[in-house]
Each structure stands twice: as structure tokens, then as C-alpha cells.
Amino acid sequence: MKGIVEVLKRAGKVGVLTGAGISAESGIPTFRGKDGLWNRFDPTELATYEAFLRNPKLVWKWYLWRMHLISKARPNPGHYAVAEMENLFPGFLLITQNVDGLHRLAGSKKFVELHGNIFQGKCRSCGRLYLEEEFSSLWPFSSRGFLSSITEEELKEKVFSEVDKGNLPECLTCKSIVGPGVVWFGESLPEEALERAFSFASESDVFFSVGTSALVQPAASIPLLAKRSGAVLVEVNPEETPISPYCDFVFRGSASEVLPQIVSLLGAP
């Protein structure tokens, strides 16, 4: 631990890539969760533009169910440690593959969401993106606060019934039905976010890979780009991953355990 702390004390630019592992500690459920209703469906057949065109009501009910579960989660010490790291270095960027928005709730401001945000809205017809606050005004059912305040039974009885009646978000620009602000299967990652991530990684002095399997491209290539560009590469993950052999420091623990320790030592005299 002291070795990486000494390296960090000399660092000017630090990048952090986070994956599902950091949010799993907050209780964020997997695609299928425990609800038998959705076990009859293949997530890859619900998280596509074709599925949305075919049955937008079904797709939105599935996403509202996921949003309802995510809305109950809160940032954990790992999220807060990443937010604190932002204040410790002249240059910092968080790159997350997660769509839950927990990093922002923890206080992170310098971040890119490679796969979007589930509480945002995106019109696939005209490309208009609705940020979380704007989208919750457009369609109150999508509000994190509202969804966290109701039970699953209320979600099904009150919200799903409205969706079945055709109460879906309508784009203010082109009047098409707005979908969730996440990257679906078959869609490209946001170009601006991806360019920013690759650019920062190539200039980093230290780069962290936290709670990610390092299997999903193109995000999986970002830590290796940082390494090739001269960065000290750090992995925080309970399990070995394909990038483990290339890392200069490996911590086999959870983000909520390891990152707060590093941040604490950085602040020590």
C-alpha cells in the first residue's frame, strides 16, 4: 500500500476506470435480478433499438423496474473515495462503465459515463439527450426520488398500468418516444466520452482499474493504453482479470476496502 501511495504523491494526472464491481457493493442488482417476470426475457432482446421499436412499453417497464431497484442504492465508501481522489490531484478523470449515477451522488464531478446513465433519456430519432433532472421533469415516472419512494407492488400497479395506457415520454424536439439514456447492444459508445477517456488515459501518470472484468471493449483497452503510454497501472479487484499481469500494483480486495485506505494514507503526513 505504501508503494502506490508514494507513487501517487508524485503524480500529476490520475485516471480511474470503474466497473460493475464498485456498484455491486451498494447492492446494485444484475440484469435479471430476482423477479421471475423478467427471467422469461433475454436482456439482449430488451436492450436494443429494435426491441424498443417493436415494443416500447415492454422495454420501458423493464427499465423502470431496473431503475426502481437502482434508486434504492446509495454510494459506498469506494464511490466516496473516488470522489475524494478528484480533489487530491491537479489532473483527474473518472471513467465509469456503470449507468447507475452513484459516482455523481457521491460527489464526483470530473467523470465520463461510457455507457450512459439509466436515469437520463435519449431520443433515438433526433439524438436529443435529456439529463436526469430534465428527464424527470419531462416524465416524472423516471425520477430517482419518486422511484425510491414507492414499493415494487406500487411500481407494477400504478406505474406499469400508466405505461400500458401509452403514458410514455415524448421528445420535445421531434415528438418521438424517448428511450433510456443508456448505450444499447448494437449502439456505439458516445464519441465525445470515448475520446476524452482515451485522451486522458494516454496522458496519465497513474491509472486505476477498479471493479471491472476488463472483458468489455472498448473500455477494457483503456487501462492498457495508459500502461503503454507510461502510466503506472493499478488494479483493485477481488478476482484476477486479463489485465492483471500488466499491472504494477494489484490489490485483491473490494473498492470499498482498498480505495479509502489509499486516500487516507495520501492525507497522512
Side-chain angles (χ1 to χ4, degrees):
M1 189 72 74
K2 290 184 178 179
I4 184 56
V5 169
E6 290 305 312
V7 171
L8 286 168
K9 286 181 176 180
R10 300 189 298 269
K13 282 192 170 185
V14 175
V16 178
L17 172 69
T18 63
I22 194 170
S23 289
E25 297 179 66
S26 289
I28 296 294
T30 59
F31 260 174
R32 293 188 183 276
K34 298 178 182 179
D35 193 317
L37 170 66
W38 303 112
N39 288 333
R40 294 187 288 110
F41 296 93
D42 180 352
T44 61
E45 293 181 359
L46 288 169
T48 67
Y49 182 52
E50 292 74 21
F52 190 68
L53 289 176
R54 193 165 55 242
N55 195 337
K57 294 178 183 178
L58 176 64
V59 170
W60 257 124
K61 285 196 288 186
W62 185 63
Y63 272 95
L64 286 166
W65 172 72
R66 288 183 61 200
M67 292 160 69
H68 174 255
L69 294 176
I70 292 171
S71 72
K72 308 287 187 179
R74 294 295 177 265
N76 63 58
H79 292 106
Y80 287 112
V82 172
E84 182 61 28
M85 290 173 71
E86 182 177 303
N87 302 317
L88 297 175
F89 305 102
F92 181 88
L93 184 65
L94 162 65
I95 305 159
T96 185
Q97 297 169 270
N98 300 332
V99 300
D100 50 57
L102 290 183
H103 281 296
R104 189 174 71 133
L105 290 182
S108 288
K109 294 180 176 63
K110 299 176 182 177
F111 62 86
V112 292
E113 295 171 311
L114 290 181
H115 297 156
N117 185 313
I118 200 168
F119 291 98
Q120 294 179 353
K122 182 179 179 181
C123 178
R124 266 70 181 183
S125 295
C126 70
R128 179 167 177 171
L129 179 67
Y130 294 84
L131 299 182
E132 189 170 332
E133 291 81 4
E134 184 182 16
F135 192 47
S136 64
S137 296
L138 176 69
W139 200 45
F141 293 143
S142 72
S143 167
R144 188 191 295 262
F146 167 72
L147 288 169
S148 68
S149 70
I150 62 175
T151 66
E152 186 168 351
E153 196 61 34
E154 289 173 325
L155 176 75
K156 294 175 181 177
E157 290 181 358
K158 299 178 181 179
V159 179
F160 284 7
S161 62
E162 287 297 314
V163 171
D164 284 332
K165 294 175 186 176
N167 188 340
L168 295 171
E170 185 178 280
C171 181
L172 298 174
T173 300
C174 71
K175 306 305 179 184
S176 298
I177 298 174
V178 177
V182 298
V183 177
W184 278 331
F185 292 104
E187 291 184 327
S188 299
L189 271 60
E191 187 174 338
E192 183 179 346
L194 198 57
E195 287 180 358
R196 188 179 175 197
F198 276 109
S199 176
F200 193 92
S202 67
E203 299 171 353
S204 295
D205 299 312
V206 181
F207 196 89
F208 284 78
S209 177
V210 179
T212 173
S213 64
L215 293 171
V216 179
Q217 294 292 354
S221 63
I222 296 175
L224 296 179
L225 169 63
K227 175 71 173 181
R228 288 196 302 271
S229 301
V232 173
L233 188 57
V234 185
E235 181 174 62
V236 179
N237 200 313
E239 306 293 335
E240 185 172 356
T241 75
I243 70 167
S244 298
Y246 304 98
C247 292
D248 300 286
F249 295 90
V250 174
F251 297 98
R252 287 285 172 253
S254 68
S256 64
E257 297 169 342
V258 176
L259 294 181
Q261 292 182 47
I262 292 175
V263 169
S264 177
L265 289 171
L266 280 171

Coordinates of all heavy atoms in Angstrom, one line a residue, residues 116-191:
G116 N -23.5 5.6 -20.6 CA -24.7 6.4 -20.3 C -25.2 6.4 -18.9 O -24.5 5.9 -18.0
N117 N -26.4 6.9 -18.7 CA -27.0 7.0 -17.4 C -28.4 6.5 -17.5 O -29.2 7.1 -18.3 CB -26.9 8.4 -16.8 CG -27.4 8.5 -15.4 OD1 -28.4 8.0 -15.0 ND2 -26.6 9.2 -14.6
I118 N -28.8 5.5 -16.7 CA -30.1 5.0 -16.8 C -31.3 5.9 -16.4 O -32.4 5.8 -16.8 CB -30.2 3.7 -15.9 CG1 -31.4 2.8 -16.4 CG2 -30.3 4.0 -14.4 CD1 -31.4 1.4 -15.8
F119 N -30.9 7.0 -15.6 CA -32.0 8.0 -15.3 C -32.1 9.1 -16.2 O -32.8 10.1 -16.0 CB -31.7 8.5 -13.8 CG -31.9 7.4 -12.8 CD1 -30.8 6.7 -12.3 CD2 -33.2 7.1 -12.3 CE1 -31.0 5.7 -11.3 CE2 -33.4 6.1 -11.4 CZ -32.3 5.4 -10.9
Q120 N -31.3 9.1 -17.3 CA -31.4 10.1 -18.3 C -32.3 9.6 -19.5 O -32.6 8.4 -19.5 CB -30.0 10.4 -18.9 CG -29.1 11.1 -17.9 CD -27.7 11.5 -18.4 OE1 -27.4 11.0 -19.5 NE2 -26.9 12.2 -17.7
G121 N -32.6 10.4 -20.4 CA -33.4 10.0 -21.5 C -32.7 10.3 -22.8 O -32.0 11.3 -22.9
K122 N -32.9 9.5 -23.8 CA -32.3 9.8 -25.1 C -33.3 9.5 -26.3 O -33.9 8.4 -26.3 CB -31.1 8.9 -25.3 CG -30.4 9.2 -26.7 CD -29.1 8.4 -26.8 CE -28.4 8.7 -28.1 NZ -27.2 7.9 -28.3
C123 N -33.5 10.4 -27.1 CA -34.3 10.2 -28.3 C -33.5 9.6 -29.4 O -32.6 10.3 -29.9 CB -35.0 11.5 -28.7 SG -36.0 11.3 -30.2
R124 N -33.8 8.4 -29.8 CA -33.0 7.8 -30.9 C -33.4 8.4 -32.3 O -32.7 8.1 -33.2 CB -33.3 6.3 -30.9 CG -32.2 5.5 -30.1 CD -32.3 5.7 -28.7 NE -31.3 4.9 -27.9 CZ -31.2 4.9 -26.6 NH1 -32.0 5.6 -25.9 NH2 -30.2 4.1 -26.0
S125 N -34.5 9.1 -32.4 CA -34.9 9.7 -33.7 C -34.1 10.9 -34.0 O -33.6 11.1 -35.1 CB -36.4 10.0 -33.7 OG -37.2 8.8 -33.5
C126 N -34.0 11.8 -33.1 CA -33.3 13.1 -33.4 C -32.0 13.2 -32.6 O -31.2 14.2 -32.8 CB -34.2 14.3 -33.1 SG -34.5 14.6 -31.3
G127 N -31.7 12.3 -31.6 CA -30.5 12.4 -30.9 C -30.5 13.2 -29.7 O -29.4 13.3 -29.0
R128 N -31.6 13.9 -29.3 CA -31.6 14.7 -28.2 C -31.4 14.0 -26.9 O -32.0 12.9 -26.7 CB -32.9 15.5 -28.1 CG -33.0 16.5 -26.9 CD -34.1 17.4 -27.0 NE -34.3 18.3 -25.8 CZ -35.1 19.3 -25.7 NH1 -35.8 19.7 -26.7 NH2 -35.1 20.0 -24.6
L129 N -30.5 14.4 -26.0 CA -30.2 13.8 -24.7 C -30.9 14.7 -23.6 O -30.7 15.9 -23.6 CB -28.7 13.7 -24.5 CG -28.3 13.1 -23.1 CD1 -28.7 11.6 -23.1 CD2 -26.8 13.2 -22.9
Y130 N -31.6 14.0 -22.7 CA -32.2 14.7 -21.6 C -31.5 14.3 -20.3 O -31.4 13.1 -20.0 CB -33.7 14.2 -21.5 CG -34.5 14.7 -22.6 CD1 -34.6 13.9 -23.8 CD2 -35.3 15.9 -22.5 CE1 -35.4 14.4 -24.9 CE2 -36.1 16.3 -23.6 CZ -36.1 15.5 -24.8 OH -36.9 15.9 -25.8
L131 N -30.8 15.2 -19.7 CA -30.1 14.9 -18.4 C -31.1 14.6 -17.4 O -32.3 14.8 -17.5 CB -29.3 16.1 -18.0 CG -28.2 16.5 -19.0 CD1 -27.4 17.7 -18.4 CD2 -27.3 15.4 -19.3
E132 N -30.6 14.0 -16.3 CA -31.5 13.4 -15.3 C -32.6 14.3 -14.8 O -33.8 14.0 -14.8 CB -30.7 12.9 -14.1 CG -31.5 12.1 -13.1 CD -30.6 11.4 -12.1 OE1 -29.4 11.1 -12.4 OE2 -31.1 11.2 -10.9
E133 N -32.3 15.6 -14.4 CA -33.3 16.5 -13.9 C -34.3 16.9 -15.0 O -35.5 16.9 -14.7 CB -32.6 17.8 -13.4 CG -31.8 17.5 -12.1 CD -30.4 17.0 -12.4 OE1 -30.0 16.8 -13.6 OE2 -29.7 16.7 -11.4
E134 N -33.8 17.1 -16.2 CA -34.7 17.5 -17.3 C -35.6 16.3 -17.6 O -36.8 16.5 -17.9 CB -33.9 17.9 -18.5 CG -34.8 18.4 -19.7 CD -34.0 18.8 -20.9 OE1 -32.8 18.3 -21.0 OE2 -34.5 19.4 -21.8
F135 N -35.1 15.1 -17.6 CA -35.9 14.0 -18.0 C -37.0 13.7 -16.9 O -38.1 13.3 -17.3 CB -35.0 12.7 -18.2 CG -35.8 11.6 -18.9 CD1 -36.6 11.8 -20.0 CD2 -35.7 10.3 -18.4 CE1 -37.2 10.8 -20.6 CE2 -36.3 9.3 -19.0 CZ -37.1 9.5 -20.1
S136 N -36.6 13.9 -15.7 CA -37.6 13.6 -14.6 C -38.7 14.6 -14.7 O -39.9 14.4 -14.2 CB -37.0 13.6 -13.2 OG -36.4 14.9 -12.9
S137 N -38.4 15.8 -15.2 CA -39.5 16.8 -15.4 C -40.4 16.5 -16.6 O -41.6 16.7 -16.5 CB -38.9 18.2 -15.6 OG -38.2 18.7 -14.5
L138 N -39.7 16.0 -17.6 CA -40.5 15.6 -18.8 C -41.4 14.4 -18.5 O -42.5 14.3 -19.0 CB -39.5 15.2 -19.9 CG -40.1 14.6 -21.2 CD1 -40.8 15.8 -22.0 CD2 -39.0 14.1 -22.1
W139 N -40.9 13.4 -17.7 CA -41.6 12.2 -17.4 C -41.3 11.8 -16.0 O -40.4 11.1 -15.6 CB -41.1 11.1 -18.3 CG -42.0 9.9 -18.5 CD1 -43.3 9.9 -18.7 CD2 -41.6 8.5 -18.5 NE1 -43.8 8.6 -18.8 CE2 -42.8 7.8 -18.7 CE3 -40.4 7.9 -18.3 CZ2 -42.8 6.4 -18.8 CZ3 -40.4 6.5 -18.4 CH2 -41.6 5.7 -18.6
P140 N -42.2 12.3 -15.0 CA -42.0 12.1 -13.6 C -41.7 10.6 -13.2 O -41.1 10.4 -12.1 CB -43.2 12.6 -13.0 CG -43.7 13.6 -14.0 CD -43.4 13.1 -15.3
F141 N -42.2 9.7 -13.9 CA -42.1 8.3 -13.6 C -40.6 7.9 -13.5 O -40.2 6.9 -12.9 CB -42.8 7.3 -14.6 CG -44.3 7.4 -14.5 CD1 -45.0 7.4 -15.7 CD2 -44.9 7.6 -13.3 CE1 -46.4 7.4 -15.6 CE2 -46.3 7.7 -13.2 CZ -47.1 7.6 -14.4
S142 N -39.7 8.6 -14.2 CA -38.3 8.3 -14.3 C -37.5 8.9 -13.2 O -36.3 8.6 -13.1 CB -37.7 8.8 -15.6 OG -37.6 10.3 -15.6
S143 N -38.1 9.7 -12.3 CA -37.4 10.4 -11.2 C -36.8 9.4 -10.2 O -37.5 8.5 -9.7 CB -38.4 11.3 -10.5 OG -37.8 11.8 -9.3
R144 N -35.5 9.5 -9.9 CA -34.9 8.7 -8.9 C -35.6 8.8 -7.6 O -35.8 7.8 -6.9 CB -33.4 9.1 -8.8 CG -32.6 8.1 -7.9 CD -31.2 8.7 -7.6 NE -30.4 8.9 -8.8 CZ -29.5 8.0 -9.2 NH1 -29.3 6.9 -8.5 NH2 -28.7 8.2 -10.3
G145 N -36.0 10.0 -7.2 CA -36.6 10.3 -5.9 C -38.0 9.6 -5.9 O -38.3 9.0 -4.9
F146 N -38.8 9.7 -7.0 CA -40.1 9.1 -7.0 C -39.9 7.6 -6.9 O -40.6 6.9 -6.2 CB -40.8 9.5 -8.3 CG -42.0 8.6 -8.6 CD1 -43.2 8.8 -7.8 CD2 -42.0 7.7 -9.6 CE1 -44.3 8.0 -8.0 CE2 -43.1 6.9 -9.8 CZ -44.3 7.1 -9.1
L147 N -39.1 7.0 -7.7 CA -38.9 5.5 -7.8 C -38.4 5.0 -6.5 O -38.8 3.9 -6.1 CB -38.0 5.2 -8.9 CG -38.5 5.3 -10.4 CD1 -37.5 5.2 -11.4 CD2 -39.7 4.4 -10.6
S148 N -37.6 5.7 -5.8 CA -37.1 5.2 -4.5 C -38.2 5.3 -3.4 O -38.0 4.6 -2.4 CB -35.9 6.0 -4.1 OG -36.2 7.3 -3.7
S149 N -39.2 6.0 -3.6 CA -40.2 6.2 -2.6 C -41.4 5.2 -2.7 O -42.2 5.2 -1.8 CB -40.8 7.7 -2.7 OG -41.6 7.8 -3.8
I150 N -41.4 4.4 -3.7 CA -42.5 3.5 -3.9 C -42.1 2.1 -3.8 O -40.9 1.8 -3.9 CB -43.2 3.7 -5.3 CG1 -42.3 3.4 -6.4 CG2 -43.8 5.1 -5.4 CD1 -42.9 3.4 -7.8
T151 N -43.0 1.2 -3.5 CA -42.7 -0.2 -3.4 C -42.8 -0.9 -4.8 O -43.3 -0.3 -5.8 CB -43.7 -1.0 -2.5 OG1 -45.0 -0.9 -3.1 CG2 -43.8 -0.3 -1.1
E152 N -42.3 -2.1 -4.9 CA -42.4 -2.8 -6.2 C -43.8 -3.0 -6.6 O -44.1 -3.0 -7.8 CB -41.6 -4.1 -6.1 CG -41.5 -4.8 -7.4 CD -40.5 -6.0 -7.4 OE1 -39.8 -6.1 -6.5 OE2 -40.5 -6.7 -8.4
E153 N -44.7 -3.3 -5.6 CA -46.1 -3.5 -5.9 C -46.7 -2.2 -6.5 O -47.5 -2.3 -7.4 CB -46.8 -3.9 -4.6 CG -48.2 -4.5 -4.9 CD -48.1 -5.8 -5.7 OE1 -47.1 -6.6 -5.6 OE2 -49.1 -6.0 -6.5
E154 N -46.3 -1.1 -5.9 CA -46.8 0.2 -6.4 C -46.3 0.5 -7.8 O -47.0 1.0 -8.6 CB -46.5 1.3 -5.4 CG -47.2 1.3 -4.1 CD -46.7 2.3 -3.1 OE1 -45.5 2.5 -3.1 OE2 -47.5 2.8 -2.3
L155 N -45.1 0.1 -8.0 CA -44.5 0.2 -9.4 C -45.3 -0.5 -10.4 O -45.7 0.1 -11.4 CB -43.1 -0.3 -9.4 CG -42.3 -0.3 -10.7 CD1 -41.9 1.1 -11.1 CD2 -41.1 -1.2 -10.7
K156 N -45.7 -1.7 -10.1 CA -46.5 -2.5 -11.0 C -47.9 -2.0 -11.2 O -48.4 -2.0 -12.3 CB -46.4 -4.0 -10.6 CG -45.0 -4.6 -10.7 CD -45.1 -6.0 -10.1 CE -43.7 -6.7 -10.2 NZ -43.7 -8.0 -9.6
E157 N -48.5 -1.7 -10.0 CA -49.9 -1.3 -10.1 C -50.1 0.1 -10.6 O -51.1 0.3 -11.4 CB -50.5 -1.4 -8.6 CG -50.6 -2.8 -8.1 CD -51.2 -2.8 -6.7 OE1 -51.5 -1.7 -6.2 OE2 -51.5 -3.9 -6.2
K158 N -49.3 1.1 -10.2 CA -49.5 2.4 -10.6 C -48.7 2.9 -11.9 O -49.3 3.5 -12.8 CB -49.2 3.4 -9.5 CG -50.0 3.1 -8.2 CD -49.6 4.0 -7.1 CE -50.4 3.8 -5.8 NZ -50.0 4.7 -4.7
V159 N -47.4 2.5 -11.9 CA -46.6 3.0 -13.0 C -46.8 2.1 -14.2 O -47.0 2.6 -15.3 CB -45.1 3.0 -12.6 CG1 -44.2 3.5 -13.7 CG2 -44.9 3.9 -11.4
F160 N -46.7 0.8 -14.1 CA -46.8 -0.1 -15.2 C -48.2 0.1 -15.9 O -48.3 0.0 -17.1 CB -46.6 -1.5 -14.8 CG -45.1 -1.9 -14.6 CD1 -44.1 -0.9 -14.6 CD2 -44.8 -3.2 -14.4 CE1 -42.8 -1.3 -14.4 CE2 -43.5 -3.6 -14.2 CZ -42.5 -2.6 -14.2
S161 N -49.2 0.3 -15.1 CA -50.5 0.5 -15.7 C -50.6 1.7 -16.5 O -51.3 1.8 -17.6 CB -51.6 0.6 -14.6 OG -51.4 1.7 -13.7
E162 N -49.9 2.8 -16.1 CA -49.8 4.0 -16.9 C -49.1 3.8 -18.2 O -49.4 4.3 -19.3 CB -49.2 5.2 -16.1 CG -50.1 5.7 -15.0 CD -51.3 6.4 -15.6 OE1 -51.2 7.1 -16.6 OE2 -52.4 6.1 -15.1
V163 N -48.0 3.0 -18.1 CA -47.2 2.7 -19.3 C -48.1 1.9 -20.3 O -48.1 2.2 -21.5 CB -45.9 1.9 -19.0 CG1 -45.2 1.4 -20.2 CG2 -45.0 2.8 -18.2
D164 N -48.8 1.0 -19.8 CA -49.7 0.2 -20.6 C -50.8 1.0 -21.4 O -51.2 0.7 -22.4 CB -50.4 -0.9 -19.8 CG -49.5 -2.1 -19.5 OD1 -48.5 -2.3 -20.2 OD2 -49.7 -2.7 -18.4
K165 N -51.1 2.1 -20.7 CA -52.1 3.1 -21.3 C -51.5 3.9 -22.4 O -52.1 4.7 -23.1 CB -52.7 3.9 -20.3 CG -53.6 3.2 -19.3 CD -54.1 4.2 -18.2 CE -54.8 3.5 -17.1 NZ -55.2 4.4 -16.0
G166 N -50.1 3.8 -22.5 CA -49.4 4.7 -23.5 C -48.8 5.9 -22.9 O -48.4 6.8 -23.7
N167 N -48.7 6.0 -21.6 CA -48.1 7.2 -21.0 C -46.6 7.0 -21.0 O -46.0 6.4 -20.1 CB -48.6 7.3 -19.5 CG -48.1 8.6 -18.9 OD1 -47.1 9.2 -19.4 ND2 -48.7 9.0 -17.8
L168 N -46.0 7.4 -22.1 CA -44.5 7.3 -22.4 C -44.0 8.7 -22.7 O -44.7 9.6 -23.1 CB -44.3 6.3 -23.6 CG -44.7 4.9 -23.4 CD1 -44.6 4.1 -24.8 CD2 -43.9 4.2 -22.4
P169 N -42.7 8.8 -22.4 CA -42.0 10.2 -22.6 C -42.0 10.5 -24.1 O -41.5 9.7 -24.9 CB -40.6 10.0 -22.0 CG -40.4 8.5 -22.1 CD -41.7 7.8 -21.9
E170 N -42.4 11.7 -24.4 CA -42.4 12.2 -25.8 C -41.3 13.3 -25.9 O -41.2 14.2 -25.2 CB -43.7 12.8 -26.1 CG -43.9 13.2 -27.6 CD -45.3 13.8 -27.9 OE1 -46.2 12.9 -28.1 OE2 -45.4 15.0 -27.9
C171 N -40.5 13.2 -27.0 CA -39.4 14.1 -27.2 C -40.0 15.5 -27.5 O -40.9 15.7 -28.3 CB -38.6 13.6 -28.4 SG -37.2 14.7 -28.8
L172 N -39.4 16.5 -26.9 CA -39.8 17.9 -27.0 C -39.4 18.4 -28.4 O -40.0 19.4 -28.9 CB -39.2 18.8 -25.9 CG -39.6 18.4 -24.5 CD1 -38.8 19.3 -23.5 CD2 -41.1 18.6 -24.3
T173 N -38.5 17.8 -29.0 CA -38.0 18.3 -30.3 C -38.7 17.6 -31.5 O -39.2 18.3 -32.4 CB -36.5 18.0 -30.5 OG1 -35.8 18.7 -29.4 CG2 -35.9 18.5 -31.8
C174 N -38.8 16.3 -31.5 CA -39.4 15.6 -32.7 C -40.6 14.8 -32.4 O -41.2 14.2 -33.3 CB -38.3 14.7 -33.3 SG -37.9 13.3 -32.3
K175 N -41.1 14.8 -31.1 CA -42.3 14.1 -30.7 C -42.2 12.6 -30.8 O -43.2 11.9 -30.6 CB -43.5 14.6 -31.6 CG -43.7 16.1 -31.6 CD -43.8 16.7 -30.2 CE -44.0 18.2 -30.2 NZ -44.0 18.8 -28.8
S176 N -41.0 12.0 -31.0 CA -40.9 10.6 -30.9 C -40.8 10.1 -29.5 O -40.6 10.9 -28.5 CB -39.6 10.2 -31.6 OG -39.6 10.5 -33.0
I177 N -41.0 8.8 -29.2 CA -40.9 8.3 -27.9 C -39.4 8.3 -27.5 O -38.6 7.8 -28.2 CB -41.5 6.9 -27.8 CG1 -43.0 6.9 -28.2 CG2 -41.3 6.3 -26.4 CD1 -43.6 5.5 -28.2
V178 N -39.2 8.8 -26.3 CA -37.8 8.9 -25.8 C -37.5 7.6 -25.0 O -38.3 7.0 -24.3 CB -37.6 10.0 -24.8 CG1 -36.2 10.1 -24.2 CG2 -37.9 11.4 -25.5
G179 N -36.3 7.1 -25.3 CA -35.8 5.8 -24.6 C -34.9 6.2 -23.4 O -34.5 7.4 -23.2
P180 N -34.4 5.2 -22.7 CA -33.5 5.4 -21.6 C -32.1 5.9 -22.1 O -31.7 5.5 -23.2 CB -33.4 4.1 -20.9 CG -33.8 3.1 -21.9 CD -34.8 3.8 -22.8
G181 N -31.4 6.7 -21.3 CA -30.2 7.2 -21.8 C -29.0 6.3 -21.6 O -27.9 6.8 -21.1
V182 N -29.1 5.1 -21.9 CA -28.0 4.1 -21.8 C -27.6 3.7 -23.2 O -28.4 3.9 -24.2 CB -28.4 2.9 -21.0 CG1 -28.8 3.3 -19.6 CG2 -29.6 2.2 -21.6
V183 N -26.4 3.1 -23.3 CA -26.0 2.5 -24.6 C -26.5 1.1 -24.7 O -26.2 0.2 -23.9 CB -24.4 2.5 -24.7 CG1 -24.0 1.9 -26.0 CG2 -23.9 3.9 -24.6
W184 N -27.3 0.9 -25.8 CA -27.9 -0.4 -26.0 C -27.0 -1.3 -26.8 O -26.0 -0.8 -27.4 CB -29.2 -0.2 -26.8 CG -30.4 0.1 -26.0 CD1 -30.6 -0.2 -24.7 CD2 -31.6 0.9 -26.4 NE1 -31.8 0.3 -24.2 CE2 -32.4 0.9 -25.2 CE3 -32.0 1.4 -27.6 CZ2 -33.7 1.6 -25.3 CZ3 -33.2 2.1 -27.6 CH2 -34.0 2.1 -26.5
F185 N -27.3 -2.6 -26.8 CA -26.5 -3.5 -27.6 C -26.7 -3.1 -29.1 O -27.8 -2.8 -29.5 CB -27.0 -4.9 -27.4 CG -26.7 -5.5 -26.0 CD1 -27.7 -5.6 -25.1 CD2 -25.5 -5.9 -25.7 CE1 -27.5 -6.1 -23.9 CE2 -25.2 -6.5 -24.4 CZ -26.2 -6.6 -23.5
G186 N -25.5 -3.0 -29.8 CA -25.6 -2.6 -31.2 C -25.3 -1.2 -31.4 O -25.2 -0.7 -32.5
E187 N -25.3 -0.4 -30.3 CA -25.1 1.1 -30.4 C -23.6 1.4 -30.1 O -23.0 0.7 -29.3 CB -26.0 1.9 -29.5 CG -27.5 1.8 -29.8 CD -28.3 2.7 -28.9 OE1 -28.0 2.8 -27.7 OE2 -29.3 3.3 -29.4
S188 N -23.1 2.5 -30.7 CA -21.8 2.9 -30.4 C -21.7 3.7 -29.1 O -22.7 4.4 -28.7 CB -21.3 3.8 -31.5 OG -21.3 3.1 -32.8
L189 N -20.6 3.7 -28.4 CA -20.4 4.5 -27.2 C -20.4 5.9 -27.6 O -20.0 6.3 -28.8 CB -19.2 4.1 -26.5 CG -19.3 3.0 -25.4 CD1 -19.7 1.7 -26.1 CD2 -17.9 2.8 -24.7
P190 N -20.8 6.8 -26.7 CA -20.7 8.3 -27.0 C -19.3 8.7 -27.4 O -18.4 8.5 -26.7 CB -21.1 8.9 -25.7 CG -21.9 7.9 -24.9 CD -21.3 6.6 -25.3
E191 N -19.2 9.2 -28.6 CA -17.9 9.5 -29.2 C -17.1 10.5 -28.4 O -15.9 10.3 -28.1 CB -18.1 10.1 -30.6 CG -16.8 10.3 -31.4 CD -17.0 10.7 -32.8 OE1 -18.1 10.5 -33.4 OE2 -16.1 11.3 -33.4

